[in-house]
């Protein structure tokens, strides 16, 4: 996987990578990560990726991170893991 660029953001760590004919957007928050794969044929210019990460999209990403945390805590509680 080849690193292309960091995409600055106040709440998340966002990295853009290229691998196997795809651009990969990795969004991280704490221990959680979301990955989005975009075919290089669908996106000819990787510089366009930051415009795709608009506020409505990132608000849903944030909600998904909150849901991931809720699910992780719930399974920990059910299984006396932490």
């Amino acid at each position: 996987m080849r690193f292309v660029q960091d995409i600055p953001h106040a709440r998340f760590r966002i990295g853009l990578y290229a691998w196997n004919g795809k651009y990969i957007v990795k969004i991280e928050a704490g221990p959680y990560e979301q990955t989005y794969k975009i075919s290089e044929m669908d996106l000819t210019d990787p510089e366009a990726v930051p415009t795709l990460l608009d506020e409505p999209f990132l608000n849903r990403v944030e909600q998904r991170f909150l849901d991931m945390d809720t699910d992780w805590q719930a399974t920990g509680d059910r299984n006396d893991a932490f």
Side-chain angles (χ1 to χ4, degrees):
M1 188 172 349
R2 179 178 61 85
F3 174 77
V4 176
Q5 71 180 48
D6 277 320
I7 300 171
H9 194 269
R11 294 184 309 230
F12 310 120
R13 180 168 187 234
I14 304 174
L16 179 63
Y17 301 84
W19 181 70
N20 204 21
K22 294 180 176 55
Y23 290 111
I24 299 170
V25 178
K26 289 176 62 172
I27 305 172
E28 299 175 54
Y32 305 113
E33 177 180 291
Q34 295 178 46
T35 303
Y36 298 86
K37 296 177 183 176
I38 308 158
S39 171
E40 286 181 357
M41 295 178 71
D42 292 339
L43 186 67
T44 56
D45 182 11
E47 296 297 321
V49 170
T51 62
L52 296 171
L53 307 178
D54 61 10
E55 201 57 32
F57 174 77
L58 290 174
N59 286 339
R60 291 292 301 141
V61 165
E62 182 173 33
Q63 183 58 54
R64 202 166 292 112
F65 278 130
L66 293 171
D67 292 343
M68 290 168 73
D69 185 60
T70 298
D71 295 343
W72 186 246
Q73 294 303 319
T75 193
D77 291 345
R78 282 191 309 273
N79 294 287
D80 294 322
F82 25 82

